[in-house]
Amino acid sequence: MDQGAAANELSRQHRHERLIESIAPLTNTSDLKDDPFRTVHQLDYATSGVLLMGKHRRAAGAACISFQERRAKKTYVAVVTSANSNSNEELPLGKDFIESIPTLPESSLKPWAAGSLEKQYRKKRRRDTDGKDTFNGYMPEHAIFAKWRGFMIKKKKMEGVGVSKSDGQLDASNKKGRQQNQDDIMSQLIQSTTQHLTAQEVDELLSIGPSWKKVKAHCEHSAKGNICSWPSNIEQMAKEYNQSTAAASAETTADEQTIHHPHHKANANTNEDKTKQPETLASSLPPLFRIQNEGSDSFYICASIGEVGDGRFDVLVDPSVALPSTQSKIPSVLPEMKPSLTRCTVVWRGYAHDTTSSTAKEEPQVPVAKVVLSPWTGRRHQLRVHLSRVAGCPILGDVAYTMGTEDRGVVGSRMCLHAKELVIPLIGGQVHTFTANDPFVIDGSSIQIDNFC
């Protein structure tokens, strides 16, 4: 290495060290000043448009409540193309396509009005989260471990001051009824689960700290049999505790209803007919439909959406309504599917050109349509996946939900989805409207795409 190269390498290392020194203090977040600007919602990374920020805590709180209660109304604009990238003649979302969609009465949207179906879904989700029955007194694994850890620490302290107390007995002298029953169950489980551990192994588990995540990571790499199997013991402990508590809770609830509401059981069947589950209401609508007396170019997309997790970026549409071959790697057990509804209005059909090409050769025209989108629900990637996997018209430049590769980036380096308007009540209930300039400008028979770069 010559002297010039060596000097450049030293300079690079010096800059690297200075950068590390500059950002190292940022790891201690308690030393950072509070940022007065607070985000209250988010957009997909590739989506442009309106992004609301709260200038102080009160403003951010009011905006967050409006989003949570579904009182904020969003309007997007997008440019979509045909799912068949080889077709350069047929325009997407043509009039024939829309006229072929079934028409429903306006009353069909009543369950979705004012977020009523969303409220039912959230209520059900609180009762039945990811397929796991929850109830008053339900405890996940990390909470069971915290109970065990607190009990063992208290036991060791009492042993240190010479106070004798039988193993597995929680102090329930001041507790009555259901709480005492839960503590009795917990005491028995702690006793049976801990009896095979040595004092040294208990100390080792306690020394890791209160984080159940760190405890599991430590046990996974341990060579000791009892330590390695500890997470599965806690899992079994949680299962037995919740089963016992659920049974006791069901008996208590049934007794209370019999005493205070003797006719409740007789009315239950009648109420079931009046209160359908959100999935039933959502599935009663076809995946594509129009509403009477609305514009001839407007239609709705109704399809439940689920997030697979495990680091997977894309989301799933209910396989029963998704177009064939539009989504792959469907898991054998579907994730929680959330009811979702989108209104779509076609405002223009034509062609797009590659505005980034520097060659004199004329680029092929790509058939596109400009649409206005109004999401009635706020699911992750809802607009993108509804258009691509249900309507069959992916958003131009959407790499994640476009099966072919020929038309990706045909108009530049962006995904053609833009949050154009946000109408939201803020402090005092006053409704505010925020808009962002439309980047998709129609110019006769073609459209100009602003890439914002």
Side-chain angles (χ1 to χ4, degrees):
M1 182 182 295
D2 57 26
Q3 293 183 351
N8 289 335
E9 178 65 19
L10 288 174
S11 177
R12 186 190 67 79
Q13 293 180 357
H14 181 62
R15 290 196 302 271
H16 180 71
E17 291 172 357
R18 290 181 60 186
L19 176 62
I20 295 298
E21 292 174 357
S22 299
I23 66 176
L26 299 179
T27 58
N28 187 0
T29 56
S30 61
D31 294 339
L32 298 178
K33 294 182 179 179
D34 184 25
D35 191 342
F37 294 100
R38 293 170 169 82
T39 57
V40 295
H41 71 123
Q42 60 186 12
L43 297 175
D44 287 345
Y45 174 77
T47 304
S48 59
V50 176
L51 183 64
L52 188 63
M53 306 281 287
K55 296 176 67 174
H56 49 77
R57 188 184 301 274
R58 183 167 170 242
C64 286
I65 291 174
S66 292
F67 278 110
Q68 291 171 2
E69 295 180 351
R70 295 291 189 265
R71 290 188 287 132
K73 296 182 179 180
K74 301 178 184 178
T75 303
Y76 293 77
V77 289
V79 179
V80 301
T81 186
S82 173
N84 182 7
S85 58
N86 296 322
S87 174
N88 290 324
E89 297 180 1
E90 184 178 354
L91 296 175
L93 301 179
K95 290 187 177 295
D96 292 341
F97 169 81
I98 296 181
E99 290 175 357
S100 67
I101 297 175
T103 302
L104 303 180
E106 189 176 353
S107 59
S108 302
L109 293 175
K110 187 176 181 180
W112 297 82
S116 56
L117 188 139
E118 179 71 10
K119 292 175 183 177
Q120 290 184 43
Y121 162 73
R122 291 191 175 194
K123 184 178 180 180
K124 178 182 181 297
R125 188 182 182 187
R126 285 193 293 268
R127 298 195 313 264
D128 186 12
T129 304
D130 289 331
K132 298 178 181 178
D133 292 332
T134 58
F135 47 86
N136 186 18
Y138 174 87
M139 296 185 70
E141 292 176 19
H142 65 85
I144 293 290
F145 171 73
K147 277 282 188 180
W148 175 87
R149 189 172 188 276
F151 172 79
M152 297 307 298
I153 291 175
K154 185 176 181 179
K155 181 173 178 289
K156 290 176 68 67
K157 287 182 179 179
M158 289 190 299
E159 290 174 349
V161 296
V163 177
S164 176
K165 197 170 186 68
S166 300
D167 287 344
Q169 295 296 319
L170 291 173
D171 184 7
S173 57
N174 296 324
K175 299 177 181 178
K176 299 180 180 180
R178 182 177 173 183
Q179 182 61 50
Q180 183 172 350
N181 292 336
Q182 290 176 316
D183 287 344
D184 290 342
I185 296 171
M186 182 64 70
S187 297
Q188 295 170 10
L189 290 172
I190 288 176
Q191 183 178 14
S192 61
T193 306
T194 312
Q195 62 183 0
H196 67 282
L197 293 175
T198 65
Q200 292 77 14
E201 289 171 339
V202 171
D203 290 340
E204 180 179 346
L205 291 169
L206 293 177
S207 66
I208 302 171
S211 171
W212 176 232
K213 184 177 180 180
K214 291 182 179 179
V215 170
K216 288 196 296 183
H218 175 86
C219 295
E220 183 180 350
H221 297 92
S222 177
K224 301 177 182 178
N226 288 340
I227 298 296
C228 186
S229 62
W230 184 242
S232 60
N233 291 338
I234 289 292
E235 180 180 355
Q236 182 62 28
M237 187 175 170
K239 182 178 179 180
E240 294 180 10
Y241 174 83
N242 288 320
Q243 286 177 346
S244 301
T245 309
S249 176
E251 292 176 1
T252 302
T253 303
D255 292 341
E256 290 175 352
Q257 289 177 348
T258 302
I259 295 172
H260 300 290
H261 305 282
H263 302 294
H264 177 79
K265 186 173 182 179
N267 295 332
N269 294 333
T270 304
N271 293 333
E272 284 179 1
D273 295 334
K274 296 179 180 179
T275 314
K276 295 183 178 180
Q277 296 294 348
E279 291 86 349
T280 304
L281 292 169
S283 61
S284 63
L285 295 175
L288 296 173
F289 64 93
R290 292 188 294 164
I291 293 296
Q292 290 177 351
N293 302 323
E294 289 197 0
S296 59
D297 282 321
S298 295
F299 65 95
Y300 291 80
I301 307 172
C302 181
S304 297
I305 296 173
E307 297 185 36
V308 180
D310 296 329
R312 181 167 170 173
F313 177 77
D314 66 326
V315 299
L316 290 179
V317 166
D318 182 356
S320 65
V321 301
L323 294 173
S325 73
T326 57
Q327 57 186 4
S328 58
K329 299 180 180 179
I330 301 176
S332 56
V333 179
L334 293 178
E336 178 187 14
M337 304 303 289
K338 305 175 182 179
S340 310
L341 181 67
T342 301
R343 185 177 188 267
C344 178
T345 301
V346 181
V347 296
W348 177 85
R349 301 175 184 87
Y351 298 90
H353 302 272
D354 185 356
T355 59
T356 63
S357 176
S358 58
T359 63
K361 182 181 177 181
E362 183 179 356
E363 294 293 333
Q365 294 181 329
V366 177
V368 296
K370 181 178 179 180
V371 296
V372 176
L373 304 168
S374 301
W376 284 47
T377 50
R379 313 299 182 207
R380 179 170 176 260
H381 295 181
Q382 174 179 322
L383 303 179
R384 300 165 64 179
V385 76
H386 271 184
L387 287 168
S388 175
R389 295 180 174 174
V390 183
C393 295
I395 295 175
L396 198 63
D398 188 354
V399 176
Y401 297 106
T402 303
M403 298 301 292
T405 59
E406 291 83 353
D407 57 349
R408 294 178 187 174
V410 70
V411 293
S413 58
R414 70 161 294 165
M415 180 178 70
C416 297
L417 178 62
H418 178 77
K420 186 176 185 297
E421 183 178 89
L422 173 64
V423 180
I424 182 172
L426 296 176
I427 297 176
Q430 185 176 358
V431 178
H432 294 261
T433 301
F434 304 92
T435 59
N437 291 336
D438 189 342
F440 314 130
V441 181
I442 300 171
D443 182 15
S445 61
S446 63
I447 188 169
Q448 303 295 326
I449 309 294
D450 189 345
N451 292 317
F452 294 116
C453 61

